Amino acid sequence: MSTAVNAVAGVPRLVRTVLVAQLAVAVAFVVVAALYVGRMATAGVGPAEMLTGAYDPKDLVPFGLHAANPFFWLYAAVSLLYLVGAVLTLPMAVYAAAVAARDAELLSRRVRTLLLVGAGVTTLLLITRFTPVAVDMHRWWLD
């Protein structure tokens, strides 16, 4: 067997799940932010106009919102990760820091680094959600 397979096999399943969840939450936040800024730039409007309802994020889904549209499912997945990420960020960060400290000799340096960086990034994104710009973005996304 290769060393890459052995390195992944040594990581507990919950640690891998937390690493993937941290990445997914961060990516969902970045996608929503990119759509918000991109929609503002293409429409040539500011944050106040984005909240009027004229620039609904659901309008960005090509071919409409129905179950047969794969873009709808992508939109739904990003929405779910974006919203659930706000709730799960702190528990994931606490768990990641605790596991990185407790199992320092069992986990590889790369896994410990990924856990701590993921905890830091997702916590920073959670704090960013409470800035005025991100509050407007959040209100626009939930429109």
Side-chain angles (χ1 to χ4, degrees):
M1 278 195 203
S2 72
T3 57
V5 172
N6 291 335
V8 172
V11 178
R13 184 177 303 247
L14 187 56
V15 171
R16 282 185 278 165
T17 303
V18 167
L19 284 171
V20 169
Q22 287 175 337
L23 178 65
V25 165
V27 167
F29 184 88
V30 169
V31 165
V32 170
L35 288 172
Y36 180 68
V37 171
R39 183 74 166 164
M40 269 196 304
T42 57
V45 297
E49 290 88 4
M50 292 292 286
L51 299 176
T52 62
Y55 305 100
D56 194 16
K58 292 179 274 312
D59 294 339
L60 297 173
V61 179
F63 311 118
L65 294 174
H66 53 82
N69 183 4
F71 294 111
F72 166 73
W73 293 106
L74 183 62
Y75 173 81
V78 168
S79 293
L80 185 65
L81 285 170
Y82 174 74
L83 294 174
V84 171
V87 176
L88 293 181
T89 294
L90 284 179
M92 285 189 308
V94 169
Y95 176 78
V99 167
R102 184 191 66 195
D103 297 337
E105 64 279 348
L106 297 175
L107 298 173
S108 69
R109 182 181 182 126
R110 181 179 57 108
V111 172
R112 285 192 321 262
T113 303
L114 285 173
L115 280 170
L116 294 175
V117 167
V121 166
T122 55
T123 303
L124 181 66
L125 291 177
L126 179 66
I127 292 168
T128 303
R129 286 177 189 250
F130 296 106
T131 62
V133 173
V135 167
D136 287 345
M137 178 183 74
H138 185 73
R139 285 179 52 208
W140 171 76
W141 189 256
L142 293 179
D143 182 23

